[in-house]
Amino acid sequence: MPVITCIDDLKRLHKARAPKMFYDYAESGSWTEQTFRDNTADFAEIRLRQKVAVDMTNRTTRSTMIGQDVAMPVALAPVGMTGMQHADGEILAAKAAERFGVPFTLSTMSICSIEDVAARTQKPFWFQLYVMRDEDFVRRLIERARAAKCSALVLTLDLQILGQRHKDLKNGLSAPPKLTPSTIADLATRWRWGLGMLGTPRRFFGNIVGHAKGVGDTSSLSSWTAEQFDPQLDWGKVAKLKEMWGGKLILKGILDADDARKAAEVGADAIIVSNHGGRQLDGALSSIRVLPQILDAVGDRVEVHLDSGIRSGQDVLKALALGARGTYIGRAFIYGLGAMGQAGVTKALEVIHKELDLSMALCGERDIHNLGRHNLLIPDGFFTRYS
Ligand code: GLV
């Protein structure tokens, strides 16, 4: 096993081992990718305040997210097509998360189905819902998540229509890949991936194929979203879905203080400050830059989580120190999965945990709950630069 010391090591292996179209899918932002770049660049602008001669024994990163105990407040984000990065990807990532003690969120657009993941894990996972025009299908998805004992519904609000990611169009992204001269040439060099895929029946969108009616091309994320996602989703529908689900509800994709207030009014248990990893509205601000105004808007009426741009334990520390109660990693665990399956996801979690724990120590903190603005050095005008 190569020596892995950081998330970038996993990213390099992922790029070498997964087919180009799936690596590119994960590594894309929309249009110019400005927001995608800002997400990581803005984290890098924030610096840490070192403290010395402070007892650093007995440190803990343990916390809770929506009342559930977590080994560290870092959940695995819902990522479409995870089972194309590595055979049985969602099952492997869910197992790694369960063993580590952090939540796993299964995407509606997963390859392994809700039932597949439930049958192969012991602890409840979270289910991410995309709202479709077909109300019956949405109702059945919710029923399936409930039957699988999912302990939270993560309702995505920022993807009623798919942002354009140039590489996906150029690569002809589909699950499974369509065989063309260029995909065949690419797949020929990814023998590890190919062997895994030959050994699993899970090569299609498992929550959809065989469950949804009247679907055109079930292999294409872009045509599925264009045909099926509900462009009329509004706060009224969010409230109805909350009632239909009846359990813990997390609203994902909030980037604006007014929207955050509406989410709190609807009675969500948590919101995720997110720009979908820079994959939806290019030109939107980074999540970390808008976090304080969202916290100011909702106070403690709703738990505030953050995703988009987290690639290290230091990024987690920065988000928590600014007031987020929880964070999510998407690409950071996908690199691990594409690099070496379940062991790679575990490695990604270990890397992030170690970075978080060591940085806490060097900042003079022993309990993750004590992190705060006092641990950060923030450039003047960072949060007020755009108005
Ligand atoms: C879907 O969630 C995507 O961002 O591709």
Side-chain angles (χ1 to χ4, degrees):
M1 183 167 170
V3 180
I4 304 292
T5 59
C6 58
I7 295 297
D8 251 3
D9 289 343
L10 294 168
K11 180 174 171 178
R12 276 188 288 275
L13 280 175
H14 175 207
K15 186 171 187 185
R17 293 182 177 175
K20 178 174 168 11
M21 75 166 64
F22 300 122
Y23 174 80
D24 281 354
Y25 168 69
E27 204 45 25
S28 290
S30 53
W31 285 318
T32 69
E33 301 194 331
Q34 178 181 56
T35 299
F36 171 57
R37 287 189 300 277
D38 283 356
N39 280 335
T40 45
D42 285 356
F43 266 114
E45 276 203 47
I46 299 174
R47 304 292 156 84
L48 303 176
R49 184 185 301 264
Q50 173 176 296
K51 297 297 282 180
V52 297
V54 181
D55 179 2
M56 54 171 74
T57 55
N58 299 324
R59 292 188 304 282
T60 178
T61 60
R62 296 204 73 82
S63 187
T64 58
M65 287 171 78
I66 54 162
Q68 299 177 15
D69 287 331
V70 290
M72 60 178 174
V74 181
L76 300 195
V79 179
M81 293 206 224
T82 293
M84 280 289 128
Q85 304 291 358
H86 188 287
D88 299 334
E90 289 89 359
I91 292 172
L92 301 183
K95 282 184 166 176
E98 161 172 298
R99 295 207 178 137
F100 204 91
V102 294
F104 170 76
T105 319
L106 183 74
S107 167
T108 294
M109 301 309 289
S110 59
I111 301 300
C112 305
S113 68
I114 303 173
E115 292 78 11
D116 273 340
V117 178
R120 282 158 190 83
T121 51
Q122 316 296 322
K123 293 189 203 151
F125 54 94
W126 297 351
F127 180 66
Q128 174 270 339
L129 181 71
Y130 278 128
V131 183
M132 317 279 172
R133 296 168 204 243
D134 179 347
E135 286 179 19
D136 243 23
F137 180 56
V138 172
R139 194 180 310 274
R140 274 183 279 122
L141 272 175
I142 289 181
E143 277 162 14
R144 289 168 64 194
R146 195 179 297 118
K149 305 207 165 22
C150 291
S151 54
L153 189 74
V154 177
L155 179 58
T156 299
L157 299 179
D158 62 0
L159 199 151
Q160 284 156 270
I161 183 168
L162 192 70
Q164 179 170 313
R165 301 98 190 230
H166 299 315
K167 283 177 265 181
D168 293 349
L169 300 178
K170 293 188 165 104
N171 289 333
L173 177 73
S174 70
K178 295 199 169 69
L179 295 180
T180 65
S182 72
T183 56
I184 291 170
D186 182 52
L187 294 180
T189 64
R190 318 290 159 143
W191 57 270
R192 230 182 261 266
W193 180 91
L195 283 180
M197 283 297 163
L198 285 176
T200 180
R202 302 181 190 93
R203 294 192 283 261
F204 304 90
F205 289 108
N207 291 327
I208 288 164
V209 174
H211 294 276
K213 295 177 220 112
V215 182
D217 180 1
T218 49
S219 71
S220 162
L221 180 79
S222 57
S223 57
W224 170 264
T225 46
E227 283 168 27
Q228 307 289 333
F229 282 26
D230 182 1
Q232 294 182 320
L233 174 64
D234 60 14
W235 290 104
K237 287 195 181 179
V238 171
K240 282 194 195 131
L241 288 162
K242 179 181 184 314
E243 204 172 309
M244 195 187 293
W245 167 244
K248 298 266 183 184
L249 179 71
I250 303 177
L251 296 180
K252 176 171 183 284
I254 305 289
L255 218 50
D256 175 85
D258 288 336
D259 287 346
R261 280 187 208 100
K262 287 185 185 132
E265 270 159 35
V266 155
D269 296 278
I271 56 175
I272 310 180
V273 178
S274 168
N275 54 39
H276 215 104
R279 301 162 69 77
Q280 285 297 100
L281 178 63
D282 191 34
L285 292 185
S286 68
S287 298
I288 196 68
R289 210 184 273 270
V290 300
L291 176 64
Q293 50 177 284
I294 293 199
L295 284 160
D296 287 349
V298 297
D300 53 14
R301 285 189 293 151
V302 59
E303 221 171 272
V304 176
H305 300 172
L306 176 140
D307 80 11
S308 304
I310 294 189
R311 305 286 189 277
S312 75
Q314 292 210 330
D315 296 336
V316 173
L317 187 156
K318 290 171 186 176
L320 298 176
L322 281 172
R325 174 80 201 196
T327 62
Y328 296 72
I329 49 170
R331 294 183 181 92
F333 93 81
I334 289 293
Y335 300 150
L337 179 73
M340 41 193 168
Q342 184 175 336
V345 179
T346 302
K347 186 47 102 175
L349 288 166
E350 286 169 356
V351 163
I352 286 186
H353 183 262
K354 185 171 181 189
E355 290 165 343
L356 173 61
D357 177 54
L358 271 179
S359 304
M360 265 174 52
L362 296 172
C363 286
E365 300 294 349
R366 296 196 294 182
D367 185 337
I368 201 157
H369 296 106
N370 294 339
L371 292 173
R373 277 290 256 267
H374 61 279
N375 300 118
L376 303 179
L377 298 165
I378 301 170
D380 286 344
F382 181 76
F383 292 116
T384 49
R385 184 155 162 223
Y386 300 97
S387 59

